[in-house]
């Protein structure tokens, strides 16, 4: 707190501290544009160095531009003495990460209707006067300190159209430097901000006939204090500026603004001792401002000033959210792409392995390899053909075996029922084995051996299943270790989850898997957890996907995309078969019929409608998945 107070005091008196260092440079008269711009700012006495307003901030303090959330345009106009016109157009363009850019153009000008006279009373013609100031601005907030820095590069142009002598027209370039500080105070100092502007730190010098007119350095420092009056649906701000230019006395500017419900504003202030008044009204993206003030300056007589400000476009917060959503979508696309490549590679490996087993007469392992391909791609024609061949060969061998066995036991009528049960159990075990469900296969073959302890086929296949089961689990653990060494933590954990689901009956191996999962998960960040959740979600392993999304939500609890994935995974993980009321049943049948007719999009609309009534009905969720899969397949074929 003490450090921040010192910074505020420093900025408040910086104009006087700097004056000794920079006023040693030569300086001329103050430019006409030192009068200020914007009816809102002038209605508060021109005390706006510490208060970001609108696109007029390009003039008052370019460092404060990075406080804006939206793009802003400000137009300002007033009349001066003798029919001269004073106008301003400003634009502020915030970005997400590189600060805020601004542009402004000021003009004071007359028509070509001034009499050109010398010593003679006769008019020698008409001439006019134009002055322009072009401001190219930049402001950037340093978030660590909440201190914004910025500046202007400006081009000054003065011309006298109609004069035969063009020695009075010239163009020059200068620069301003600015700071803006918004400390995160609590209590009475909440809403306090301060600003510093050094105009003409690089001084433009315009030619005046045979002489030169350098712009003097002008240092402005200001404070602003926002006061929340929420109990009345309003707020208030009090501002104070001090300015000191070379060869000129210090000037003081004080102002205040009262805002009711963000639609109506009243303002008043003192501009170096002269009263100023103003008001404003806001509607949608527009704000109209008006002020009236007197001035000691002969060129800025008491008059009316008007401004129109427009704020438009998406806010910085909205743009950041859009960028983050795009980033997550890109991650999802990359996960899907990698998954596709993994599947394609795995298919080629299984295809080569299955063909080799078939060539060697190992038809059961050939079945396992070809079946694994169809788990990834149900429509893989080559795998279907080879699986059918392997099934035929295996069935032939199995048929020969059973014929021999039946012949052996044909005379043993008392064992007929036992043999029937043995065969049933054997078939179940065979199916589980072909699907790599070794635990279930062993369970069935244990039942076979209970009925016939000398059943050699069951004994052999049980040992083979145990060996393959253990080998599968150890290979998964080794694969996870390899992935971990490559810092592919989410893939390593996914592999360990697969090993854990095998439920291998070895306590040491189980403890090893659980220990590695806990250790690897500690290394995960949000993106890793999100990637894992997407992978399991795409594989329809919704229980594990739900766990990963839940952990990701702990890191980013407000992330709507993750919340949607979590809710959908949860619904599918806990879904059960539920009885539907007659009206839902009727719509469900209608959706199924549309799916069968190939009208998938219409079917999905109906299924989503009845899902709102029964979000955890497994039949409805299954119907949605089927329709989406067929729709995606149809789109691929059309391509």
């Amino acid at each position: 707190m003490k450090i921040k107070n010192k910074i505020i005091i420093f900025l408040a008196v910086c104009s006087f501290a700097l004056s000794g260092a920079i006023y040693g440079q030569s300086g001329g008269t103050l430019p006409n544009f030192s009068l200020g711009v914007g009816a809102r700012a002038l209605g508060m006495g021109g005390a706006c160095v510490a208060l970001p307003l609108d696109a007029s901030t390009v003039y008052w303090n370019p460092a404060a531009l990075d406080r804006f959330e939206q793009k802003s345009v400000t137009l300002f106009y007033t009349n001066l003495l003798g029919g001269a016109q004073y106008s301003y157009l400003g634009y502020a363009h915030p970005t997400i990460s590189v600060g805020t850019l601004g542009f402004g153009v000021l003009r004071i000008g007359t028509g070509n209707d001034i009499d050109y006279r010398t010593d003679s009373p006769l008019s020698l013609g008409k001439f006019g006067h134009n002055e322009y100031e072009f401001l190219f601005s930049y402001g950037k907030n340093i978030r660590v300190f909440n201190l914004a820095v910025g500046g202007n590069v400006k081009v000054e142009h003065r011309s006298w159209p109609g004069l035969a002598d063009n020695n009075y027209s010239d163009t020059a370039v200068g620069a301003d430097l600015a700071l803006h500080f918004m400390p995160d105070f609590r209590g009475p100092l909440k809403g306090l901000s301060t600003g510093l502007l050094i105009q003409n730190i690089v001084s433009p010098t315009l030619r005046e006939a045979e002489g030169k007119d350098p712009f003097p350095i002008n240092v402005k420092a200001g404070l602003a204090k926002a006061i929340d009056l929420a109990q009345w649906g309003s707020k208030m701000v009090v501002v104070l500026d001090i300015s000191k230019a070379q060869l000129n006395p210090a000037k003081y500017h004080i102002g205040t603004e009262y805002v009711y419900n963000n639609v109506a504003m009243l303002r008043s202030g003192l501009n170096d001792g002269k009263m100023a008044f103003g008001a404003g009204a806001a509607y949608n993206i527009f704000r109209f401002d008006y002020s009236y003030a007197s001035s000691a300056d002969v060129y800025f007589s008491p008059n009316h000033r008007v401004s129109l400000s427009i704020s438009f476009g998406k806010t910085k917060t909205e743009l950041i959210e859009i960028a983050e959503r795009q980033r997550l979508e890109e991650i999802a696309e990359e996960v899907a792409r990698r998954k596709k490549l993994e599947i394609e590679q795995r298919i080629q490996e299984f295809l080569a392995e299955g063909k080799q087993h078939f060539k060697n007469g190992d038809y059961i392992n050939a079945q396992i390899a070809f079946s694994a391909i169809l788990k990834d791609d149900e429509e893989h024609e080559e795998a279907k053909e080879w699986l059918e061949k392997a099934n035929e060969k295996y069935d032939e061998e199995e048929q020969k075996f059973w014929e021999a066995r039946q012949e052996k036991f044909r005379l043993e009528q008392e064992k007929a029922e036992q043999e029937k049960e043995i065969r049933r159990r054997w078939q179940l075990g065979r199916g589980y084995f072909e699907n790599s469900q070794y635990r279930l296969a062993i369970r069935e073959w244990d039942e076979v051996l209970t009925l016939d302890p000398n059943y050699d086929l069951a004994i052999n296949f049980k040992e083979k299943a145990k060996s393959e089961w253990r080998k599968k689990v150890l290979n998964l653990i080794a694969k996870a270790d390899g992935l971990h060494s490559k810092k592919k933590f989410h893939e390593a954990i996914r592999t360990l989850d697969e090993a854990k689901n095998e439920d291998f009956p070895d306590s040491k191996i189980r403890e090893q898997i659980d220990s590695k999962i806990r250790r690897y998960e500690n290394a995960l960040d949000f993106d890793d957890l999100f990637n894992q959740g997407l992978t399991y979600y795409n594989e329809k392993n919704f229980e594990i996907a739900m766990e990963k999304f839940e952990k990701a939500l702990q890191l980013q609890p407000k992330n709507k995309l993750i919340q949607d994935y979590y809710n959908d995974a949860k619904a599918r993980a806990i879904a059960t078969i539920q009885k539907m009321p007659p009206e839902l049943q009727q719509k469900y049948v209608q959706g199924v019929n549309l799916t069968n007719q190939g009208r998938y999009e219409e079917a999905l609309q109906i299924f989503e409608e009845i899902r709102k009534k029964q979000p955890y009905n497994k039949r409805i969720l299954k119907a949605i998945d089927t329709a989406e899969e067929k729709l995606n397949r149809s789109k691929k074929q059309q391509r």
Side-chain angles (χ1 to χ4, degrees), residues 49-329:
V49 175
L51 182 64
L53 297 173
D54 42 44
S56 66
T57 304
V58 167
Y59 173 89
W60 294 104
N61 188 339
L65 286 172
D66 209 24
R67 310 295 186 191
F68 291 170
E69 278 286 310
Q70 289 180 283
K71 301 179 186 70
S72 178
V73 172
T74 294
L75 299 97
F76 165 73
Y77 178 82
T78 188
N79 288 322
L80 304 180
L81 288 176
Q85 300 173 341
Y86 182 21
S87 58
Y88 168 78
L89 168 65
Y91 172 68
H93 186 92
T95 67
I96 295 177
S97 57
V98 298
T100 298
L101 304 174
F103 171 76
V105 55
L106 297 86
R107 177 185 180 272
I108 293 178
T110 66
N112 293 339
D113 55 0
I114 304 174
D115 282 333
Y116 183 19
R117 304 172 187 271
T118 56
D119 295 335
S120 170
L122 297 176
S123 174
L124 300 179
K126 301 287 185 179
F127 71 95
H129 173 70
N130 289 309
E131 285 190 50
Y132 290 92
E133 182 175 81
F134 299 91
L135 300 173
F136 302 91
S137 308
Y138 177 75
K140 173 64 177 174
N141 180 35
I142 304 172
R143 295 186 182 276
V144 177
F145 306 104
N146 212 11
L147 174 68
V149 297
N152 290 324
V153 174
K154 54 189 181 183
V155 178
E156 307 285 346
H157 177 73
R158 183 182 297 166
S159 64
W160 300 82
L163 286 181
D165 185 357
N166 198 35
N167 288 334
Y168 291 91
S169 297
D170 198 10
T171 301
V173 178
D176 304 332
L177 181 65
L179 298 173
H180 189 260
F181 183 53
M182 291 183 66
D184 187 18
F185 285 154
R186 306 294 180 186
L189 294 180
K190 181 179 180 182
L192 185 67
S193 62
T194 184
L196 175 67
L197 174 65
I198 305 175
Q199 290 180 315
N200 307 319
I201 192 168
V202 176
S203 178
T205 301
L206 293 172
R207 181 179 60 198
E208 289 285 357
E210 300 301 326
K212 293 184 177 181
D213 182 18
F215 288 8
I217 292 177
N218 188 16
V219 180
K220 298 181 179 182
L223 290 171
K225 176 67 173 69
I227 303 171
D228 189 8
L229 304 174
Q231 62 270 34
W232 296 301
S234 56
K235 56 186 176 182
M236 187 175 184
V237 63
V238 179
V239 289
L240 168 65
D241 279 11
I242 304 172
S243 63
K244 177 67 173 70
Q246 290 172 278
L247 307 179
N248 287 271
K251 295 183 179 181
Y252 300 88
H253 310 267
I254 303 173
T256 183
E257 179 184 54
Y258 173 79
V259 181
Y260 177 73
N261 205 28
N262 289 326
V263 296
M265 304 89 181
L266 292 176
R267 308 179 186 101
S268 64
L270 288 174
N271 188 348
D272 196 29
K274 301 298 181 179
M275 288 296 300
F277 304 93
Y283 175 74
N284 202 345
I285 64 173
F286 303 97
R287 193 188 71 242
F288 174 79
D289 295 307
Y290 166 82
S291 68
Y292 180 85
S294 60
S295 172
D297 196 303
V298 66
Y299 298 109
F300 211 162
S301 62
N303 59 358
H304 305 278
R305 302 97 181 251
V306 292
S307 291
L308 176 64
S309 295
I310 305 171
S311 297
F312 60 96
K314 296 186 184 301
T315 65
K316 286 184 181 179
T317 301
E318 292 172 337
L319 292 173
I320 291 172
E321 290 176 353
I322 290 172
E324 178 63 12
R325 179 173 290 273
Q326 289 175 344
R327 188 180 72 87
L328 293 176
E329 290 175 351

Side-chain angles (χ1 to χ4, degrees), residues 272-401:
D272 196 29
K274 301 298 181 179
M275 288 296 300
F277 304 93
Y283 175 74
N284 202 345
I285 64 173
F286 303 97
R287 193 188 71 242
F288 174 79
D289 295 307
Y290 166 82
S291 68
Y292 180 85
S294 60
S295 172
D297 196 303
V298 66
Y299 298 109
F300 211 162
S301 62
N303 59 358
H304 305 278
R305 302 97 181 251
V306 292
S307 291
L308 176 64
S309 295
I310 305 171
S311 297
F312 60 96
K314 296 186 184 301
T315 65
K316 286 184 181 179
T317 301
E318 292 172 337
L319 292 173
I320 291 172
E321 290 176 353
I322 290 172
E324 178 63 12
R325 179 173 290 273
Q326 289 175 344
R327 188 180 72 87
L328 293 176
E329 290 175 351
E330 289 172 359
I331 291 174
E333 291 175 358
E334 179 63 17
V335 169
R337 186 187 67 82
R338 290 181 180 178
K339 178 64 177 176
K340 182 179 179 181
L341 291 176
E342 289 176 4
I343 291 174
E344 291 175 353
Q345 182 179 358
R346 189 163 60 242
I347 286 175
Q348 293 303 316
E349 291 174 354
F350 278 129
L351 193 60
E353 179 184 339
K355 290 179 180 180
Q356 187 61 43
H357 286 312
F358 188 90
K359 182 179 179 181
N360 296 335
D362 188 358
Y363 303 118
I364 188 166
N365 283 323
Q367 288 175 324
I368 293 172
F370 298 137
S371 297
I373 294 174
L374 295 176
K375 288 180 181 178
D376 291 328
D377 185 359
E378 296 178 355
E379 303 301 322
H380 198 284
E381 294 299 331
E382 189 175 4
K384 286 182 179 180
E385 293 175 2
W386 278 101
L387 179 60
E388 185 177 356
K389 293 178 182 179
N391 286 337
E392 290 175 356
K393 289 292 186 180
Y394 185 84
D395 288 342
E396 289 176 5
E397 290 193 349
E398 186 183 24
Q399 184 63 30
K400 293 176 182 179
F401 170 81

Side-chain angles (χ1 to χ4, degrees), residues 540 595 600 604 607 620-633:
K540 303 188 185 306
T595 301
Y600 307 122
L604 284 171
F607 291 141
I620 296 175
L621 295 174
K622 178 63 176 177
I624 291 174
D625 291 342
T626 300
E628 287 180 343
E629 290 173 1
K630 291 186 176 182
L631 177 60
N632 292 333
R633 194 180 305 149

Side-chain angles (χ1 to χ4, degrees), residues 598-616:
R599 298 160 64 184
Y600 307 122
E601 293 180 347
E602 298 176 44
L604 284 171
Q605 291 179 355
I606 293 175
F607 291 141
E608 290 294 345
E609 179 183 351
I610 63 176
R611 181 185 178 184
K612 295 176 182 178
K613 303 292 182 64
Q614 288 188 347
Y616 304 117

